[in-house]
Amino acid sequence: MGGSRGRASATGRGVVIATQLVLKTNGVDSLDGVKVAVQGMGNVGANAARIFCHRNACVVALSDVSGGIYCESGLDADVVSAFLERGHLLKDYQAEGVSHISNTELLTCDCDVLVPAALENQINAEVAEQLRCRYIVEGANGPTTVEADAILEQRGITLIPDIFANSGGVIVSYFEWVQNIQELTWERSQVNEMLEKLMTASFGELLEERKKTACSYRMAAYIVALRRLLYAEDIKGLFP
């Protein structure tokens, strides 16, 4: 009857959680004043932008299919989302201090955290050379090309991969399955708290793998995932 509480915003919330976790490893304990640019205002991007704002981040840029908007002092994601929900496009959005930019300009704008939450292959080699962010947190599936990955690593830009960063929706879908089996309905606060705990534990595994192998977060995520798969195959005796 509508699914688990907290499911609609779970993927975007997971993006915010992933951002907080990676910032904390670099001594940044809160999102206060952190400049964020979000490409895409679908379910993932819109929810992430709103939650970033609610946690006092400064969302400087947003975009949809019609283009982007930029405001150095920060955009109110709740107001922008309400505008879009009324059937408008960002190309028609007007507010004091807001300028209109292209999707490419959004990707390359001056920010701390870039969240590509639209289409795949948005950050290619050419764009990667122009980026001015310190962190990329992938909200979309496959927004970064293989060639761009190598350039980002070379430039020292930290990337949190989609396999982890946008896993919030899948995790809460699992929580929904658990609730169905037990014929229970958890409160939204409980769902959100459990999501954060699970992602925090998983991020700890990525950090451990990075320490062992000195690899990227993306490679660490693949190593952890493959190790789990091999372990499951081994204990189930699927292969001799």
Side-chain angles (χ1 to χ4, degrees), residues 15-27:
V15 167
V16 177
I17 292 168
T19 303
Q20 289 183 297
L21 289 169
V22 70
L23 289 175
K24 197 167 184 179
T25 65
N26 290 280

mmCIF file with all atom_site columns, all heavy atoms in Angstrom, residues 15-27:
data_model
loop_
_atom_site.group_PDB
_atom_site.id
_atom_site.type_symbol
_atom_site.label_atom_id
_atom_site.label_alt_id
_atom_site.label_comp_id
_atom_site.label_asym_id
_atom_site.label_entity_id
_atom_site.label_seq_id
_atom_site.pdbx_PDB_ins_code
_atom_site.Cartn_x
_atom_site.Cartn_y
_atom_site.Cartn_z
_atom_site.occupancy
_atom_site.B_iso_or_equiv
_atom_site.pdbx_formal_charge
_atom_site.auth_seq_id
_atom_site.auth_comp_id
_atom_site.auth_asym_id
_atom_site.auth_atom_id
_atom_site.pdbx_PDB_model_num
ATOM 1  N N   . VAL A 1 15 ? 22.888 9.277  -1.020 1.00 0.00 ? 15 VAL A N   1
ATOM 2  C CA  . VAL A 1 15 ? 23.913 10.136 -1.623 1.00 0.00 ? 15 VAL A CA  1
ATOM 3  C C   . VAL A 1 15 ? 24.452 11.120 -0.587 1.00 0.00 ? 15 VAL A C   1
ATOM 4  O O   . VAL A 1 15 ? 25.664 11.348 -0.487 1.00 0.00 ? 15 VAL A O   1
ATOM 5  C CB  . VAL A 1 15 ? 23.337 10.888 -2.841 1.00 0.00 ? 15 VAL A CB  1
ATOM 6  C CG1 . VAL A 1 15 ? 24.270 12.015 -3.286 1.00 0.00 ? 15 VAL A CG1 1
ATOM 7  C CG2 . VAL A 1 15 ? 23.091 9.922  -3.996 1.00 0.00 ? 15 VAL A CG2 1
ATOM 8  N N   . VAL A 1 16 ? 23.555 11.707 0.199  1.00 0.00 ? 16 VAL A N   1
ATOM 9  C CA  . VAL A 1 16 ? 23.964 12.655 1.244  1.00 0.00 ? 16 VAL A CA  1
ATOM 10 C C   . VAL A 1 16 ? 24.778 11.944 2.317  1.00 0.00 ? 16 VAL A C   1
ATOM 11 O O   . VAL A 1 16 ? 25.814 12.449 2.779  1.00 0.00 ? 16 VAL A O   1
ATOM 12 C CB  . VAL A 1 16 ? 22.739 13.365 1.854  1.00 0.00 ? 16 VAL A CB  1
ATOM 13 C CG1 . VAL A 1 16 ? 23.166 14.294 2.993  1.00 0.00 ? 16 VAL A CG1 1
ATOM 14 C CG2 . VAL A 1 16 ? 21.983 14.143 0.794  1.00 0.00 ? 16 VAL A CG2 1
ATOM 15 N N   . ILE A 1 17 ? 24.338 10.762 2.724  1.00 0.00 ? 17 ILE A N   1
ATOM 16 C CA  . ILE A 1 17 ? 25.071 9.986  3.729  1.00 0.00 ? 17 ILE A CA  1
ATOM 17 C C   . ILE A 1 17 ? 26.482 9.663  3.221  1.00 0.00 ? 17 ILE A C   1
ATOM 18 O O   . ILE A 1 17 ? 27.472 9.818  3.946  1.00 0.00 ? 17 ILE A O   1
ATOM 19 C CB  . ILE A 1 17 ? 24.316 8.687  4.075  1.00 0.00 ? 17 ILE A CB  1
ATOM 20 C CG1 . ILE A 1 17 ? 23.016 9.011  4.816  1.00 0.00 ? 17 ILE A CG1 1
ATOM 21 C CG2 . ILE A 1 17 ? 25.187 7.746  4.916  1.00 0.00 ? 17 ILE A CG2 1
ATOM 22 C CD1 . ILE A 1 17 ? 22.065 7.822  4.948  1.00 0.00 ? 17 ILE A CD1 1
ATOM 23 N N   . ALA A 1 18 ? 26.575 9.222  1.961  1.00 0.00 ? 18 ALA A N   1
ATOM 24 C CA  . ALA A 1 18 ? 27.874 8.906  1.367  1.00 0.00 ? 18 ALA A CA  1
ATOM 25 C C   . ALA A 1 18 ? 28.782 10.136 1.376  1.00 0.00 ? 18 ALA A C   1
ATOM 26 O O   . ALA A 1 18 ? 29.986 10.035 1.646  1.00 0.00 ? 18 ALA A O   1
ATOM 27 C CB  . ALA A 1 18 ? 27.686 8.379  -0.052 1.00 0.00 ? 18 ALA A CB  1
ATOM 28 N N   . THR A 1 19 ? 28.199 11.306 1.083  1.00 0.00 ? 19 THR A N   1
ATOM 29 C CA  . THR A 1 19 ? 28.973 12.554 1.080  1.00 0.00 ? 19 THR A CA  1
ATOM 30 C C   . THR A 1 19 ? 29.500 12.859 2.475  1.00 0.00 ? 19 THR A C   1
ATOM 31 O O   . THR A 1 19 ? 30.685 13.197 2.648  1.00 0.00 ? 19 THR A O   1
ATOM 32 C CB  . THR A 1 19 ? 28.101 13.723 0.585  1.00 0.00 ? 19 THR A CB  1
ATOM 33 O OG1 . THR A 1 19 ? 27.598 13.427 -0.720 1.00 0.00 ? 19 THR A OG1 1
ATOM 34 C CG2 . THR A 1 19 ? 28.898 15.014 0.544  1.00 0.00 ? 19 THR A CG2 1
ATOM 35 N N   . GLN A 1 20 ? 28.643 12.735 3.480  1.00 0.00 ? 20 GLN A N   1
ATOM 36 C CA  . GLN A 1 20 ? 29.065 13.001 4.847  1.00 0.00 ? 20 GLN A CA  1
ATOM 37 C C   . GLN A 1 20 ? 30.182 12.059 5.284  1.00 0.00 ? 20 GLN A C   1
ATOM 38 O O   . GLN A 1 20 ? 31.132 12.461 5.956  1.00 0.00 ? 20 GLN A O   1
ATOM 39 C CB  . GLN A 1 20 ? 27.870 12.876 5.801  1.00 0.00 ? 20 GLN A CB  1
ATOM 40 C CG  . GLN A 1 20 ? 26.868 14.008 5.659  1.00 0.00 ? 20 GLN A CG  1
ATOM 41 C CD  . GLN A 1 20 ? 25.732 13.879 6.666  1.00 0.00 ? 20 GLN A CD  1
ATOM 42 O OE1 . GLN A 1 20 ? 24.976 12.932 6.641  1.00 0.00 ? 20 GLN A OE1 1
ATOM 43 N NE2 . GLN A 1 20 ? 25.622 14.840 7.557  1.00 0.00 ? 20 GLN A NE2 1
ATOM 44 N N   . LEU A 1 21 ? 30.080 10.812 4.882  1.00 0.00 ? 21 LEU A N   1
ATOM 45 C CA  . LEU A 1 21 ? 31.084 9.815  5.276  1.00 0.00 ? 21 LEU A CA  1
ATOM 46 C C   . LEU A 1 21 ? 32.447 10.125 4.675  1.00 0.00 ? 21 LEU A C   1
ATOM 47 O O   . LEU A 1 21 ? 33.470 10.044 5.364  1.00 0.00 ? 21 LEU A O   1
ATOM 48 C CB  . LEU A 1 21 ? 30.621 8.419  4.857  1.00 0.00 ? 21 LEU A CB  1
ATOM 49 C CG  . LEU A 1 21 ? 29.446 7.846  5.651  1.00 0.00 ? 21 LEU A CG  1
ATOM 50 C CD1 . LEU A 1 21 ? 28.888 6.590  4.982  1.00 0.00 ? 21 LEU A CD1 1
ATOM 51 C CD2 . LEU A 1 21 ? 29.882 7.516  7.090  1.00 0.00 ? 21 LEU A CD2 1
ATOM 52 N N   . VAL A 1 22 ? 32.474 10.483 3.404  1.00 0.00 ? 22 VAL A N   1
ATOM 53 C CA  . VAL A 1 22 ? 33.777 10.758 2.775  1.00 0.00 ? 22 VAL A CA  1
ATOM 54 C C   . VAL A 1 22 ? 34.357 12.072 3.292  1.00 0.00 ? 22 VAL A C   1
ATOM 55 O O   . VAL A 1 22 ? 35.580 12.194 3.466  1.00 0.00 ? 22 VAL A O   1
ATOM 56 C CB  . VAL A 1 22 ? 33.684 10.749 1.237  1.00 0.00 ? 22 VAL A CB  1
ATOM 57 C CG1 . VAL A 1 22 ? 32.911 11.942 0.689  1.00 0.00 ? 22 VAL A CG1 1
ATOM 58 C CG2 . VAL A 1 22 ? 35.078 10.682 0.625  1.00 0.00 ? 22 VAL A CG2 1
ATOM 59 N N   . LEU A 1 23 ? 33.515 13.060 3.562  1.00 0.00 ? 23 LEU A N   1
ATOM 60 C CA  . LEU A 1 23 ? 34.014 14.314 4.123  1.00 0.00 ? 23 LEU A CA  1
ATOM 61 C C   . LEU A 1 23 ? 34.620 14.087 5.508  1.00 0.00 ? 23 LEU A C   1
ATOM 62 O O   . LEU A 1 23 ? 35.652 14.685 5.853  1.00 0.00 ? 23 LEU A O   1
ATOM 63 C CB  . LEU A 1 23 ? 32.881 15.346 4.217  1.00 0.00 ? 23 LEU A CB  1
ATOM 64 C CG  . LEU A 1 23 ? 32.378 15.941 2.899  1.00 0.00 ? 23 LEU A CG  1
ATOM 65 C CD1 . LEU A 1 23 ? 31.177 16.850 3.153  1.00 0.00 ? 23 LEU A CD1 1
ATOM 66 C CD2 . LEU A 1 23 ? 33.470 16.718 2.184  1.00 0.00 ? 23 LEU A CD2 1
ATOM 67 N N   . LYS A 1 24 ? 33.995 13.207 6.276  1.00 0.00 ? 24 LYS A N   1
ATOM 68 C CA  . LYS A 1 24 ? 34.483 12.943 7.629  1.00 0.00 ? 24 LYS A CA  1
ATOM 69 C C   . LYS A 1 24 ? 35.878 12.337 7.622  1.00 0.00 ? 24 LYS A C   1
ATOM 70 O O   . LYS A 1 24 ? 36.683 12.584 8.517  1.00 0.00 ? 24 LYS A O   1
ATOM 71 C CB  . LYS A 1 24 ? 33.507 12.011 8.360  1.00 0.00 ? 24 LYS A CB  1
ATOM 72 C CG  . LYS A 1 24 ? 33.692 12.002 9.867  1.00 0.00 ? 24 LYS A CG  1
ATOM 73 C CD  . LYS A 1 24 ? 32.530 11.328 10.563 1.00 0.00 ? 24 LYS A CD  1
ATOM 74 C CE  . LYS A 1 24 ? 32.706 11.437 12.079 1.00 0.00 ? 24 LYS A CE  1
ATOM 75 N NZ  . LYS A 1 24 ? 31.581 10.803 12.801 1.00 0.00 ? 24 LYS A NZ  1
ATOM 76 N N   . THR A 1 25 ? 36.184 11.531 6.603  1.00 0.00 ? 25 THR A N   1
ATOM 77 C CA  . THR A 1 25 ? 37.529 10.940 6.515  1.00 0.00 ? 25 THR A CA  1
ATOM 78 C C   . THR A 1 25 ? 38.582 12.018 6.282  1.00 0.00 ? 25 THR A C   1
ATOM 79 O O   . THR A 1 25 ? 39.779 11.775 6.487  1.00 0.00 ? 25 THR A O   1
ATOM 80 C CB  . THR A 1 25 ? 37.624 9.900  5.371  1.00 0.00 ? 25 THR A CB  1
ATOM 81 O OG1 . THR A 1 25 ? 37.434 10.558 4.114  1.00 0.00 ? 25 THR A OG1 1
ATOM 82 C CG2 . THR A 1 25 ? 36.596 8.804  5.541  1.00 0.00 ? 25 THR A CG2 1
ATOM 83 N N   . ASN A 1 26 ? 38.149 13.205 5.856  1.00 0.00 ? 26 ASN A N   1
ATOM 84 C CA  . ASN A 1 26 ? 39.065 14.316 5.614  1.00 0.00 ? 26 ASN A CA  1
ATOM 85 C C   . ASN A 1 26 ? 38.884 15.432 6.635  1.00 0.00 ? 26 ASN A C   1
ATOM 86 O O   . ASN A 1 26 ? 39.217 16.590 6.380  1.00 0.00 ? 26 ASN A O   1
ATOM 87 C CB  . ASN A 1 26 ? 38.882 14.855 4.195  1.00 0.00 ? 26 ASN A CB  1
ATOM 88 C CG  . ASN A 1 26 ? 39.385 13.875 3.147  1.00 0.00 ? 26 ASN A CG  1
ATOM 89 O OD1 . ASN A 1 26 ? 40.577 13.787 2.885  1.00 0.00 ? 26 ASN A OD1 1
ATOM 90 N ND2 . ASN A 1 26 ? 38.483 13.106 2.571  1.00 0.00 ? 26 ASN A ND2 1
ATOM 91 N N   . GLY A 1 27 ? 38.326 15.068 7.789  1.00 0.00 ? 27 GLY A N   1
ATOM 92 C CA  . GLY A 1 27 ? 38.233 16.000 8.901  1.00 0.00 ? 27 GLY A CA  1
ATOM 93 C C   . GLY A 1 27 ? 37.093 16.993 8.859  1.00 0.00 ? 27 GLY A C   1
ATOM 94 O O   . GLY A 1 27 ? 37.056 17.935 9.659  1.00 0.00 ? 27 GLY A O   1
#
